[in-house]
Amino acid sequence: MLDTVTLDQLRMLVAIDETGSFTAAAKHVQRAQSAVSHAIRTLEADIGVELFDRSQRKPSLTAAGEAVLAEARSVLSRIDHLKARARGMAAGMEGEVTFAVSVVAPQAGLVRLLDRFRQEFPTCGLRLFVEEVGGAPQLVLDGRADLGLVGKPSLKAHLFEPMESVAVGSVEIVAVARSDHPLASRHSRLAEADLQDHRQLVPTSRALPRYQNRLVNDVWEVADLGTRHQMILAGLGWGTMPRHSVAADLEAGRLVPLDISARPDEAMRVPLFAIYKRDAALGPARRWLVEQMEMEIGTSAPSEALPVEPTPGTTP
């Protein structure tokens, strides 16, 4: 019966395949050859199939044996992973990290960070939330996320009093329109009066009040910023985007940058911060993420694509 299958039997099966014989496997697992042979015979009886063809001098795996061997390797691998994870948690390692990231974060830098995290902490689980403008810090404040990667926490200082924040870089923002948009043909700086007759596409969020920093009367608010990117490309309006998300479009001439006098240079760069609650203990995995964010997020190449934007005057 399957309920009587043991890990010891599975390890012996794998050892036979890896060493090439029952004799070598017995030496490898430090058991008598008769014990190995008995374990395999018992395993065959338990699962009801022959694992080895014994018609020749040297037994070889049957087709069923090959299939069971693959399952045995999978089971043993998962057991080893469980043991490693349990040892890590006993030593203070987190079993899982919940990470809330603003959509303003450069995606390629984030992926590099998580790839290194996977290699550094292979047994630590991860829950990743990529949130609308304002959503990531709220998850950290509510305790639903251990760490956040957000923009401009200083703009909402009272909300960030219970949290530590670590500067990890910044994202450049650029106003853009499609190449055949009426604003694209203007070669001088654009004043607010120049924008009034042209629809502005702006972000919106369930986590924040309605968008206030409007330069025109005709405004469409779009929560999904990837969709808003496509709407700008389709000529439905103009808007601001992180430069890394539209770099390929600017280079190809599909979009053109707009020089808007009403937007000072300092408003067109969003500082990025790692945040976590002061009263939350940082285990080794969470601390590593905080320490490594600047290396991967702060140095992200400008061509990395993520169709996102922070809301001016709010916290991304």
Side-chain angles (χ1 to χ4, degrees):
M1 295 178 62
L2 292 178
D3 289 344
T4 61
V5 173
T6 68
L7 295 177
D8 198 38
Q9 292 170 329
L10 300 182
R11 289 195 177 93
M12 290 184 186
L13 176 62
V14 171
I16 293 169
D17 179 68
E18 291 180 345
T19 61
S21 70
F22 280 64
T23 301
K27 184 177 180 180
H28 179 73
V29 299
Q30 298 182 328
R31 302 283 291 276
Q33 181 176 338
S34 58
V36 173
S37 297
H38 177 72
I40 297 303
R41 287 287 191 187
T42 303
L43 178 60
E44 289 176 319
D46 288 340
I47 63 179
V49 297
E50 286 193 357
L51 302 176
F52 288 91
D53 179 359
R54 297 175 175 81
S55 62
Q56 304 297 321
R57 187 178 67 85
K58 183 178 180 180
S60 59
L61 283 167
T62 62
E66 293 283 0
V68 173
L69 174 65
E71 293 293 338
R73 290 188 190 280
S74 176
V75 169
L76 294 175
S77 175
R78 293 177 65 182
I79 290 296
D80 290 342
H81 185 275
L82 172 62
K83 288 181 176 179
R85 191 167 187 178
R87 285 194 297 268
M89 288 188 288
M93 173 70 68
E94 304 94 325
E96 182 179 81
V97 173
T98 303
F99 191 16
V101 178
S102 169
V103 290
V104 74
Q107 191 176 60
L110 176 63
V111 171
R112 284 198 305 269
L113 175 71
L114 297 180
D115 184 42
R116 292 181 55 216
F117 177 79
R118 171 184 61 87
Q119 298 175 53
E120 191 76 17
F121 302 98
T123 64
C124 185
L126 177 75
R127 296 184 75 201
L128 178 68
F129 297 108
V130 179
E131 292 293 310
E132 295 175 348
V133 171
Q138 194 62 55
L139 288 180
V140 178
L141 282 169
D142 294 345
R144 289 177 288 166
D146 304 310
L147 300 174
L149 175 57
V150 305
K152 291 186 178 179
S154 60
L155 295 178
K156 298 286 183 180
H158 66 287
L159 294 178
F160 284 80
E161 288 178 2
M163 292 193 286
E164 294 287 350
S165 62
V166 179
V168 297
S170 62
V171 171
E172 182 183 357
I173 304 300
V174 59
V176 293
R178 199 168 79 167
S179 58
D180 59 354
H181 190 280
L183 292 175
S185 61
R186 303 289 293 270
H187 300 295
S188 58
R189 299 203 78 184
L190 299 170
E192 288 191 41
D194 299 317
L195 305 173
Q196 289 304 309
D197 296 330
H198 304 284
R199 180 179 299 113
Q200 183 183 4
L201 304 179
V202 303
T204 188
S205 170
R206 291 182 296 271
L208 294 171
R210 298 289 296 273
Y211 189 91
Q212 299 298 319
N213 194 4
R214 305 182 182 199
L215 296 178
V216 302
N217 295 321
D218 185 4
V219 170
W220 284 6
E221 299 183 33
V222 185
D224 183 85
L225 300 180
T227 301
R228 192 167 60 84
H229 183 190
Q230 295 302 313
M231 291 169 69
I232 294 174
L233 283 170
L236 299 184
W238 68 274
T240 54
M241 298 288 290
R243 182 176 287 276
H244 62 253
S245 70
V246 294
D249 298 313
L250 292 170
E251 184 176 356
R254 292 184 292 269
L255 297 178
V256 297
L258 304 178
D259 187 0
I260 300 176
S261 59
R263 293 289 175 92
D265 291 343
E266 59 269 21
M268 302 302 279
R269 182 165 290 277
V270 177
L272 297 176
F273 293 83
I275 60 170
Y276 58 92
K277 295 183 76 172
R278 287 196 179 99
D279 59 0
L282 286 186
R286 295 171 191 167
R287 187 169 299 281
W288 184 94
L289 280 169
V290 172
E291 292 173 350
Q292 299 300 315
M293 274 190 220
E294 183 177 9
M295 178 180 296
E296 297 297 354
I297 303 297
T299 58
S300 295
S303 62
E304 295 170 353
L306 183 65
V308 297
E309 169 187 321
T311 303
T314 62
T315 302

